DNA sequence: GCGTTATGCAACTTCATGGTTGCATCTTAC
DNA sequence: GTAAGATGCAACCATGAAGTTGCATAACGC
């Protein structure tokens, strides 16, 4: 696809979301939140293999992609999932799959003619 | 999540797929294939911003993640999408979303009691 | 056979990412 | 008000990923 054709914007929006999910530590954080609900940085760190600082960085990356958001509660910072972007990513995958099927249909049609 | 709790294997399977999709160039290749059908490396390179070698590397990454596969046809190598992994990724996203909703329900229940 | 086209291989550069440690700051609980 | 707990900030290191260039090889077309 050329950088100027239709669909480019979709790609450049979806990529950062997938990139954010494409790290085991981050995906584990997402999994942890999804099963246990909103959690503080310290609680997320306990149960992760890495440092609190590393967890903080990963949460920042997820936040940049719009996958999580945080709320201050006293001295702690509570993180929770933000499903919008995840649903958008899922929709994108479905879209790609559907177009692929159509492309194969066109190809089959072409071969048969 | 601890590295030994349930769900860890899912995470370590899903992460590489998302990682493969988390690059604009690669996602553009996927988009191109999905709209135009199976294509050779040269054809994929025309319409991409980068070198043929770069495209080849990206296709290799996508192949490692099980997202594409190739077939030789004479002197060219034809690449096509492999939807299985993409559908698995979509299913994973749905799973996470569902568990998050349930976690919020439990939380609400807990607060009300 | 020979030029052209399509791809493969390898070395190399650059830069972002994941991770760490050390110290500062801010809340909260007594 | 003071100690302990939760987080913020910054410097630093190591590795891998993305991209390039240059050359080698293999398959067509005529």
């Amino acid at each position: 696809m050329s950088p100027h054709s239709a669909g480019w914007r979709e790609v450049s929006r979806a990529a950062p979301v997938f990139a954010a999910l494409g790290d085991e530590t981050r995906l584990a954080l997402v999994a942890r939140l999804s099963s246990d609900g909103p959690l503080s940085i310290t609680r997320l760190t306990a149960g992760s293999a890495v440092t609190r600082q590393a967890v903080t960085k990963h949460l920042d990356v997820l936040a940049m992609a719009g996958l999580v958001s945080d709320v201050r509660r006293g001295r702690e910072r509570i993180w929770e999932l933000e499903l919008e972007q995840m649903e958008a990513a899922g929709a994108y995958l479905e879209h790609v799959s559907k177009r692929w099927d159509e492309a194969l249909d066109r190809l089959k049609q072409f071969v048969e003619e």
Side-chain angles (χ1 to χ4, degrees), chain A:
Chain A
M1 154 157 38
S2 114
H4 302 296
S5 65
W8 177 256
R9 235 182 281 111
E10 273 177 340
V11 165
S12 69
R13 267 164 212 259
V17 176
F18 289 126
L21 293 172
D23 174 278
E24 259 189 34
T25 305
R26 279 196 293 272
L27 204 52
L29 287 174
V30 167
R32 180 85 190 289
L33 287 177
S34 86
S35 64
D36 295 1
L39 292 170
S40 73
I41 296 176
T42 303
R43 304 248 293 168
L44 283 170
T45 302
S48 167
V50 296
T51 311
R52 174 179 58 87
Q53 321 290 5
V55 170
T56 298
K57 280 194 192 176
H58 283 304
L59 288 170
D60 287 342
V61 172
L62 289 169
M64 285 297 155
L67 288 165
V68 299
S69 65
D70 69 292
V71 173
R72 288 218 78 103
R73 197 179 64 190
R75 63 182 152 183
E76 41 187 15
R77 201 167 151 195
I78 307 295
W79 290 88
E80 56 181 28
L81 286 186
E82 207 63 55
L83 292 190
E84 243 179 65
Q85 295 303 311
M86 223 144 23
E87 282 161 2
Y92 186 82
L93 292 182
E94 269 189 53
H95 175 232
V96 167
S97 299
K98 192 180 166 197
R99 285 212 303 180
W100 173 251
D101 285 336
E102 291 168 359
L104 287 191
D105 280 349
R106 286 199 304 277
L107 188 60
K108 191 181 165 198
Q109 207 85 33
F110 173 77
V111 169
E112 284 173 352
E113 280 173 6

